[in-house]
Amino acid sequence: MNILDKIVADKRKEVDLKKSLITVKQLEHSVLMERTSISLASELKSSVTGIIAEHKRRSPSKSVINQSLNVQDVAKGYAQAGVCGMSVLTDGKYFGGSLDDLVLARASVNIPLLRKEFIIDEYQIVEARAYGADVILLIAAILSRDEIKTLSETAKSLGLDVLLEVHNEKELQKSIMPSLDMLGVNNRNLKTFEVSLETSKSLSEQIPDDFVKVSESGISSIEAIQQLRPYGYQGFLIGENFMKTDDPGASAKTFIDELKQ
């Protein structure tokens, strides 16, 4: 069993437990369910930088990235830096995140928030909405086409944007459907954790223009973005590059200011 299989197996147990503790009806009573969400896809289309900055404490590939910061400060720093949106890891066991991180970020800023999670059940989408997310991530590597359709349509019915993540042509071809807003190409192989921007470049021509193209992982320099833009990418998800510093907001601002030049 590889690391992705282990994460999904643990996630199924976690979701089953959560369902027994907090029902969907209870989630639907959250005051945040009434909130008007902000479209990340729209923000990216009108942006000259396209930066989506991530809050991530640790990962299976890098171990500890930064455990000393609080999510409110990171969120405010990213918003002041001018990012298009913020990605918040909510997986606890492997990434050190939580739904509390999501709701605290929501309370701190008014920019699009992506719940970055291994979503396998409609329950998690209601949960995302109830805790203040504007966008959900679906990972094609762990879902069938029917599951992608069901989960993305559920998200759209709740007013959420959908970012669908792929790693190769096979995943891309099975995933294209109208209920997606953004197609993200992850440059990191989830099974080996190796990173290559060539993945984004090679898949770009196969992504229809109807979707906003997002490149994820391994983007640590202005040069990387300059390489990817000619391939039609409008969004760039950056995690470790900012989070490994003492002040991710200041790091993001320096990066964005340089990108605008």
Side-chain angles (χ1 to χ4, degrees), residues 114-130:
L114 164 68
R115 181 187 186 190
K116 197 168 188 188
E117 178 59 87
F118 296 85
I119 290 181
I120 50 171
D121 194 297
E122 291 169 78
Y123 177 90
Q124 295 166 286
I125 299 174
V126 181
E127 205 176 42
R129 187 77 168 91

Side-chain angles (χ1 to χ4, degrees), residues 11-174:
K11 192 58 63 180
R12 293 194 188 286
K13 294 176 186 173
E14 178 188 314
V15 172
D16 286 343
L17 176 61
K18 282 186 169 183
K19 284 179 172 177
S20 70
L21 297 173
I22 304 174
T23 66
V24 167
K25 283 197 175 297
Q26 287 173 307
L27 289 173
E28 289 173 343
H29 284 138
S30 164
V31 293
L32 291 174
M33 293 294 287
E34 304 301 322
R35 174 182 162 272
T36 300
S37 58
I38 311 168
S39 171
L40 177 60
S42 297
E43 293 288 327
L44 292 175
K45 285 177 185 174
S46 61
S47 172
V48 296
T49 60
I51 301 301
I52 307 164
E54 192 157 84
H55 178 266
K56 177 164 60 176
R57 295 189 176 88
R58 64 174 190 263
S59 72
S61 61
K62 297 288 184 180
S63 188
V64 172
I65 298 169
N66 197 330
Q67 299 267 41
S68 62
L69 302 170
N70 74 64
V71 67
Q72 300 101 310
D73 290 341
V74 175
K76 289 175 183 173
Y78 282 159
Q80 289 167 2
V83 303
C84 290
M86 177 177 175
S87 167
V88 182
L89 263 297
T90 59
D91 174 79
K93 182 171 181 177
Y94 295 92
F95 291 87
S98 71
L99 281 166
D100 285 345
D101 287 338
L102 183 59
V103 80
L104 288 170
R106 178 77 289 150
S108 305
V109 294
N110 193 33
I111 59 175
L113 295 182
L114 164 68
R115 181 187 186 190
K116 197 168 188 188
E117 178 59 87
F118 296 85
I119 290 181
I120 50 171
D121 194 297
E122 291 169 78
Y123 177 90
Q124 295 166 286
I125 299 174
V126 181
E127 205 176 42
R129 187 77 168 91
Y131 280 80
D134 301 287
V135 195
I136 61 153
L137 176 74
L138 297 179
I139 303 172
I142 62 173
L143 300 168
S144 67
R145 178 174 175 83
D146 286 345
E147 289 171 328
I148 291 169
K149 185 173 187 297
T150 299
L151 293 171
S152 59
E153 288 179 353
T154 298
K156 298 308 295 178
S157 73
L158 292 172
L160 298 171
D161 271 7
V162 180
L163 170 61
L164 187 285
E165 176 183 290
V166 302
H167 301 81
N168 53 48
E169 182 178 354
K170 183 180 178 183
E171 290 177 8
L172 177 61
Q173 293 307 323
K174 81 170 182 183

